[in-house]
Amino acid sequence: MRASFLLSALVLAASGPVLAAPVLPELPALPELTGPQSDYVEHCSGCHGMQGNSAPADIPVLRDRVGYFMCSQEGRDYLIRLPNVAFSAITDNQELADMMNFVVFGLGGNSAPRGTKPFTAAEVAKLRGRALATGSLIAARAAIVDRLVGTCAVPQSMKFFYDGQDQAAR
Ligand code: HEC
C-alpha cells in the first residue's frame, strides 16, 4: 500500500513540471580570441585586467601605455626581462613573442612609436636569459622611465602605474 502510493507519487512527479528540462537563459556568444589573446588572458589578465586596465590596483596599466617602453632599447628589453614574462609558462619563444606583440601593439594602442619593429622569437630567447631580479624591479622601472620621459612623447604620468595615480596618492 505504502509502496504503491510512493510509486504513483513518483509517476506523477515524473510527468509533472518538476522534472521538465531546465530552461537556460540565453547567453551572449563567447568572444573569439586569437592565440596570443588567449595566452594573455590565461597568463596575465588575472593581474593586468582583461583589457590591460588594472587601475586602481598597484599594478601598471598596459592599455594605451605599454608601447612607450619600445621607445628605448632598455625599455624594450625590460618588457621581456620582467620575471612574469621571462619566466612565463609559455616556453615557445615565438608564442611568447606573438603574445608580447599583442600586448604592445594591441593593448598598447598607439603608444609604441611609429615604425616600431615587433619582437622576434630570437630576441625573446636572448632576453629571457637575462631576466630581472624581482627585488630590483621598481628601481629598474623608475630608472628606465626617467630616461624615457620626454622622448618619443612619453608622458610624465608613465612614472606612475596608471594615469591619475599621482593625484590619487595625495
Ligand atoms: C601576479 C600579478 C602579475 C602577473 C600574473 C603578471 N604581472 Fe605584469 N606586472 C605586475 C606588477 C606588480 C608589475 C610592476 C613591476 C615593476 O615594478 O616593474 C608588472 C609589470 C608589467 C609590465 C611593465 C609595465 C610597466 O609600466 O612597468 C608589463 C609589460 C607586464 N607586467 C606584462 C605582463 C605580462 C605580459 C604578463 C603575463 C605573462 C604579466 N605581466 C603577468 C604584476 C603581474
Side-chain angles (χ1 to χ4, degrees), residues 28-164:
L30 287 173
E32 295 278 341
L33 299 184
T34 61
Q37 287 175 330
S38 173
D39 277 338
Y40 174 82
V41 167
E42 182 175 350
H43 301 284
C44 323
S45 71
C47 286
H48 290 283
M50 292 282 277
Q51 306 286 341
N53 197 340
S54 52
D58 208 10
I59 295 174
V61 162
L62 306 178
R63 188 80 184 223
D64 297 326
R65 289 165 60 97
V66 65
Y68 288 129
F69 286 104
M70 301 295 265
C71 175
S72 72
Q73 186 61 49
E74 63 175 357
R76 184 181 173 111
D77 292 355
Y78 161 74
L79 295 184
I80 307 295
R81 296 177 69 204
L82 283 161
N84 276 324
V85 177
F87 298 128
S88 155
I90 302 170
T91 50
D92 185 277
N93 291 321
Q94 185 62 56
E95 193 179 340
L96 189 64
D98 290 345
M99 189 197 68
M100 289 308 287
N101 288 328
F102 160 68
V103 167
V104 167
F105 301 102
L107 296 178
N110 293 325
S111 53
R114 228 175 251 274
T116 299
K117 291 204 173 63
F119 288 114
T120 64
E123 183 180 12
V124 163
K126 197 180 70 189
L127 291 169
R128 289 184 98 169
R130 296 174 42 217
L132 290 161
T134 312
S136 62
L137 279 186
I138 302 263
R141 182 188 192 279
I144 292 168
V145 171
D146 261 352
R147 288 186 282 266
L148 273 180
V149 166
T151 60
C152 307
V154 176
Q156 284 282 341
S157 65
M158 277 304 284
K159 292 189 173 175
F160 302 95
F161 278 1
Y162 53 91
D163 283 348

